[in-house]
Amino acid sequence: MAHDTPIPSEETDLVISRVLRAPRAKLWRAWTDPALLQEWWCPKPWTTEVREFDMRPGGGFYIFMRGPDGGTSDNPGCFVDIVEQRRLVFTNALITGWRPAHSWLTMTGIIDMADEGDGTRYVATVMHPDKATKDRHEEMGFFEGWNICIDQLDALACHLP
């Protein structure tokens, strides 16, 4: 599978690029161990339940989130590409076994990690099928929410043995 990063589109993509304190190996571990993923995946006080995590292209990625007020967010998806300690690509346009899915907010996420200084350059690119979906995701608080999660990820990873 090609591992090229698509050129971001201002019209349909949302991008966060940050240098995190944690080393790449620990960030990777926090991303790929479902027990650790549950600790940082959504902004607290929301909680995360990992219902499926078959980390291989075509494998299922199913996250269920629950809010303190009883709200929920059901997020089944599929891994598309995995490059050990460098890249994770997942989408909710597909589910386990490359089966087409229906989603309330269709997107494909690309997480790139690279050593930078004493930390890790962490780039989250979230691609949407059209401008309206991207705009809706941004209006829902994409930057605030994803940055909170990235902060939680970095804090957790920094404390891993």
Side-chain angles (χ1 to χ4, degrees):
M1 170 160 269
H3 301 293
D4 297 334
T5 298
I7 297 169
S9 163
E10 284 189 28
E11 184 165 316
T12 58
D13 302 347
L14 297 169
V15 179
I16 297 172
S17 180
R18 295 176 46 186
V19 176
L20 305 184
R21 296 171 297 138
R24 185 167 36 101
K26 290 183 178 186
L27 291 167
W28 185 261
R29 184 171 156 216
W31 247 106
T32 60
D33 178 336
L36 295 173
L37 184 85
Q38 290 182 153
E39 295 298 315
W40 66 267
W41 177 261
C42 60
K44 296 186 183 324
W46 281 66
T47 60
T48 300
E49 176 187 338
V50 177
R51 293 187 171 175
E52 184 177 9
F53 197 88
D54 183 5
M55 201 174 131
R56 62 181 175 81
F61 178 83
Y62 188 175
I63 305 296
F64 184 81
M65 300 182 298
R66 187 179 320 278
D69 61 355
T72 61
S73 181
D74 196 31
N75 302 282
C78 178
F79 286 105
V80 177
D81 191 22
I82 301 160
V83 180
E84 186 78 20
Q85 293 194 25
R86 298 202 176 275
R87 169 177 285 168
L88 282 169
V89 181
F90 55 93
T91 186
N92 63 5
L94 301 168
I95 56 172
T96 304
W98 307 108
R99 303 300 307 170
H102 294 284
S103 174
W104 60 275
L105 185 81
T106 302
M107 65 181 177
T108 296
I110 301 172
I111 305 300
D112 285 307
M113 298 179 223
D115 296 334
E116 186 169 320
D118 292 336
T120 304
R121 171 65 60 183
Y122 183 93
V123 181
T125 303
V126 180
M127 302 183 300
H128 303 86
D130 51 48
K131 184 178 181 336
T133 305
K134 175 227 167 192
D135 290 347
R136 184 175 50 191
H137 199 183
E138 188 170 6
E139 290 163 9
M140 288 173 51
F142 170 83
F143 287 104
E144 179 182 9
W146 278 59
N147 275 302
I148 288 169
C149 293
I150 293 167
D151 289 343
Q152 293 171 173
L153 166 64
D154 193 29
L156 174 70
C158 280
H159 291 96
L160 291 176

